[in-house]
Amino acid sequence: MSESIGRRRALRAFGARLRLKVAAGDDWRLLDEALTHDSYTHESGRAKPDVRHRPASNERLEFLGDAVVGAAVADYLFRRHPSETEGELSRRRAALVSRAALGATALRWELGPLLLLGKGEAAAHGERRPSILAAAAEAVIGAVFLSEGFAAAAEFVAREHLAHADEGTDADPKTALQELLQGRFKRAPAYAVNAETGPAHARSFSISVFLGNDLLGTGAGPTKKLAEAAAAADALRALRR
């Protein structure tokens, strides 16, 4: 099996999992581009798409996807919260379009293994960096928009991002949790590692957050920082109920 055929099958399997028409026919090349980091393109010595070879980087699709996500989230919030002010809606939108929120969605989609990275970025485990993952998620959404139009892209954002995201999600959940606990109890949270699994190049961390001896939440991620953020977000959801 050639590399290109293997890549195409992997992308089509990913598309089938997320119900993406963009993964079918020749449109799979858009999805390929969405998952190609600039470092890969730079090392390949190419600046423009070439249908005969690998695609250009996902920067242009990221730019497009960023606008689509912003519009889709704004429309969703406007309809869902008819009594809220512009400021309240803006705060909700900021959380839902944040790097943390989109990075978490990319992790849930398991985008990391599908990313094409340059050798240096791959050696630094760029497939686990929140900024790269969030950009790839936006690029995928940009590809859906080009293939199917805004209505389909907005439905995809609602189904595969917003349906799994907490509208109270904070761009920095650790800071938000600390501020909440300091305000309520005059105490700071403490984090503890429950487990560390996987080989050195693909670590997975499970972390719990406590207030004294009380367990507030748990979370997992490919780095301690992301696992702590997930645990803090879990704690915030419980405390805000």
Side-chain angles (χ1 to χ4, degrees):
M1 179 190 302
S2 71
E3 181 185 0
S4 61
I5 293 175
R7 173 72 171 170
R8 188 182 312 179
R9 287 184 176 177
L11 293 175
R12 285 181 172 168
F14 166 76
R17 179 158 48 88
L18 294 186
R19 291 183 278 166
L20 293 177
K21 292 181 181 177
V22 71
D26 286 338
D27 276 356
W28 73 273
R29 296 183 186 280
L30 272 177
L31 195 57
D32 200 12
E33 182 176 334
L35 297 172
T36 301
H37 188 253
D38 184 58
S39 61
Y40 183 94
T41 303
H42 180 73
E43 288 186 7
S44 301
R46 292 178 293 103
K48 296 181 179 180
D50 185 336
V51 297
R52 296 169 301 175
H53 304 291
R54 291 292 192 190
S57 80
N58 62 8
E59 290 182 331
R60 284 171 55 83
L61 283 174
E62 176 196 351
F63 166 81
L64 182 61
D66 175 70
V68 173
V69 171
V73 171
D75 179 67
Y76 169 87
L77 293 175
F78 185 85
R79 298 174 187 277
R80 187 178 176 89
H81 303 284
S83 63
E84 289 196 348
T85 66
E86 180 273 340
E88 291 169 328
L89 292 172
S90 293
R91 282 190 289 274
R92 288 184 184 274
R93 181 181 60 184
L96 291 170
V97 303
S98 69
R99 183 175 71 177
L102 287 166
T105 288
L107 282 172
R108 187 169 47 77
W109 292 351
E110 299 179 351
L111 284 189
L114 291 171
L115 288 171
L116 293 179
L117 303 169
K119 293 180 180 178
E121 196 65 64
H125 305 300
E127 76 282 358
R128 295 159 59 183
R129 283 175 51 193
S131 59
I132 290 179
L133 287 168
E138 288 180 328
V140 167
I141 293 164
V144 174
F145 169 77
L146 286 180
S147 177
E148 303 182 51
F150 179 75
E155 192 276 332
F156 174 71
V157 170
R159 184 184 75 238
E160 298 295 343
H161 175 55
L162 296 176
H164 302 272
D166 181 356
E167 287 183 33
T169 296
D170 299 85
D172 184 357
K174 289 184 65 178
T175 299
L177 179 62
Q178 179 152 333
E179 290 175 350
L180 187 151
L181 295 179
Q182 290 283 10
R184 285 191 189 180
F185 307 107
K186 309 301 180 187
R187 298 171 67 185
Y191 296 85
V193 177
N194 301 321
E196 182 178 343
T197 59
H201 67 281
R203 280 311 218 197
S204 178
F205 297 87
S206 172
I207 286 180
S208 294
V209 58
F210 297 86
L211 183 67
N213 293 323
D214 295 326
L215 174 64
L216 300 181
T218 59
T223 66
K224 287 183 180 180
K225 184 176 180 179
L226 286 174
E228 287 177 353
D234 186 47
L236 284 168
R237 284 192 290 270
L239 291 168
R240 285 169 171 166
R241 290 193 185 107

